[in-house]
């Protein structure tokens, strides 16, 4: 009986770790003319294949308008080439990346090595070579489906590195899509009075292990999925795809987020 129970637990943990699911949510904004499909992936930590398909297969099946990758591509630096090979399969013109803390370090077994600033820059260059736009406290204005979207990426791969410098005279009429690795940026933006329509972050893995819908550990203070922060302002915290510290998930499957942004006018009609 104990052996069967142990086998059942192993099967459950394996399933929860390799069964990536698409989580779809919808928001509306008067600044969007036609429905916009935004896909977010985060915290791969070297994992690119799942029972439900590869990352490229899953994301491409959603036919996204914008793909956002919010950091932590690898645990070990030697995983990066394979990860980038997979991400190069993404069929989307607008691919954006913001760095996480694991772009600044690698872990081998129980040892952690921090990269020098030169190594960190080289890692980002390697990520940016294959049509991926790397945003480090910078933004880009995109014209898509008759709408103006301002995509801004924060570098909070280390706390205190984030900065807001849009370098645009007027972005008041754009849909402001903000990207960062750590959701701590939500409080930082509120403190600095920075407005946005949608904020995407990761880092927490949703706790990676959840019981009764609640994460254990320090990340339990953060929400998962979409949350309305204020009228017309939303923040999505992605559960991520890979694992860290423990090689499994429980009650917190890996996710690919699909966010549909529709016009308020279209929604009412």
């Amino acid at each position: 009986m104990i052996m069967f129970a142990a086998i059942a637990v192993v099967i459950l943990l394996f399933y929860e770790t390799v069964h990536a699911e698409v989580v779809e949510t919808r928001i509306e904004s008067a600044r969007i003319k036609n429905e916009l499909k935004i896909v977010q992936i985060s915290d791969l930590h070297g994992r690119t294949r799942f029972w439900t398909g590869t990352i490229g297969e899953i994301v491409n099946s959603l036919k996204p308008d914008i793909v956002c990758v919010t950091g932590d591509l690898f645990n070990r630096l030697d995983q990066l080439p394979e990860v980038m090979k997979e991400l190069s399969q993404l069929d989307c013109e607008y691919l954006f990346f913001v760095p996480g803390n694991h772009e600044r370090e690698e872990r081998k077994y129980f040892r952690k090595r921090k990269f020098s600033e030169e190594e960190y820059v080289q890692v980002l260059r390697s990520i940016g070579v294959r049509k991926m736009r790397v945003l480090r406290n910078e933004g880009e204005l995109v014209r898509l489906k008759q709408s103006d979207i301002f995509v801004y990426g924060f570098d909070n791969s280390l706390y205190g590195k984030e900065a807001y410098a849009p370098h645009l005279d007027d972005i008041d009429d754009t849909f402001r899509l903000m990207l960062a690795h750590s959701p701590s940026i939500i409080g930082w933006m509120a403190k600095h009075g920075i407005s946005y329509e949608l904020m995407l972050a990761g880092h927490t893995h949703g706790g990676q292990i959840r019981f009764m819908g609640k994460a254990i550990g320090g990340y339990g203070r953060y929400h998962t999925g979409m949350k309305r922060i204020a009228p017309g302002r939303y923040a999505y915290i992605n559960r991520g795809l890979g694992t860290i510290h423990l090689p499994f998930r429980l009650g917190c499957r890996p996710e690919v987020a699909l966010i549909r942004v529709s016009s308020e006018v279209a929604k009412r009609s």
Side-chain angles (χ1 to χ4, degrees):
M1 181 66 71
I2 294 177
M3 181 179 294
F4 284 120
I7 292 173
V9 169
V10 170
I11 292 173
L12 174 63
L13 293 177
F14 179 73
Y15 178 79
E16 292 277 280
T17 304
V18 301
H19 185 89
E21 58 186 12
V22 175
V23 179
E24 181 174 340
T25 55
R26 295 175 180 266
I27 63 173
E28 59 182 58
S29 173
R31 297 181 177 185
I32 294 297
K33 305 298 183 189
N34 299 291
E35 185 182 77
L36 191 68
K37 292 198 292 185
I38 301 171
V39 166
Q40 181 201 12
I41 57 176
S42 192
D43 299 271
L44 281 66
H45 291 283
R47 184 177 291 276
T48 60
R49 296 177 178 274
F50 301 87
W51 269 3
T52 43
T54 65
I55 290 175
E57 290 168 346
I58 297 170
V59 172
N60 289 343
S61 71
L62 303 175
K63 301 187 184 319
D65 299 304
I66 297 175
V67 175
C68 304
V69 186
T70 49
D72 279 10
L73 295 184
F74 58 86
N75 287 332
R76 303 187 317 272
L77 186 56
D78 60 14
Q79 295 172 320
L80 182 57
E82 182 63 29
V83 170
M84 291 310 303
K85 180 180 177 181
E86 182 62 31
L87 294 184
S88 71
Q89 303 302 311
L90 299 181
D91 185 19
C92 182
E93 181 179 356
Y94 297 105
L95 289 170
F96 295 98
F97 173 84
V98 290
N101 54 294
H102 277 267
E103 275 66 58
R104 286 187 174 272
E105 63 187 30
E106 66 175 340
R107 292 174 180 266
K108 292 186 176 180
Y109 304 104
F110 297 104
R111 299 180 63 185
K112 180 169 68 172
R113 182 179 75 88
K114 291 188 178 296
F115 298 146
S116 67
E117 191 65 23
E118 291 76 16
E119 288 176 303
Y120 173 57
V121 171
Q122 184 56 50
V123 166
L124 296 188
R125 285 176 179 165
S126 299
I127 294 169
V129 295
R130 300 193 182 187
K131 71 181 181 180
M132 189 96 70
R133 296 160 165 87
V134 177
L135 300 179
R136 296 177 63 196
N137 296 325
E138 56 192 329
E140 183 172 329
L141 187 62
V142 172
R143 180 70 175 173
L144 187 59
K145 291 186 172 180
Q146 298 181 309
S147 300
D148 291 321
I149 301 99
F150 179 61
V151 186
Y152 191 90
F154 291 95
D155 181 0
N156 66 350
S157 56
L158 285 178
Y159 297 124
K161 288 288 186 180
E162 59 279 317
Y164 186 61
H167 299 301
L168 290 174
D169 294 333
D170 186 6
I171 58 172
D172 289 339
D173 295 328
T174 65
F175 179 86
R176 290 159 295 186
L177 172 60
M178 303 294 195
L179 312 177
H181 178 62
S182 171
S184 63
I185 201 70
I186 299 170
W188 186 90
M189 285 192 293
K191 179 181 178 180
H192 290 81
I194 299 171
S195 296
Y196 58 94
E197 277 65 54
L198 178 61
M199 173 72 227
L200 304 181
H203 185 53
T204 70
H205 295 206
Q208 194 168 307
I209 298 174
R210 299 177 72 88
F211 293 104
M212 305 295 289
K214 294 187 179 296
I216 59 176
Y219 291 142
R221 68 184 185 275
Y222 290 112
H223 70 274
T224 59
M226 188 71 76
K227 182 178 181 180
R228 182 175 178 268
I229 303 298
R233 188 176 301 172
Y234 299 88
Y236 194 99
I237 302 179
N238 195 298
R239 299 195 306 261
L241 288 162
T243 59
I244 189 66
H245 302 305
L246 296 174
F248 59 82
R249 289 172 169 264
L250 180 63
C252 188
R253 293 177 188 167
E255 77 162 314
V256 173
L258 169 61
I259 302 165
R260 295 181 182 268
V261 187
S262 60
S263 166
E264 290 178 337
V265 175
K267 187 103 174 180
R268 291 193 296 267
S269 61

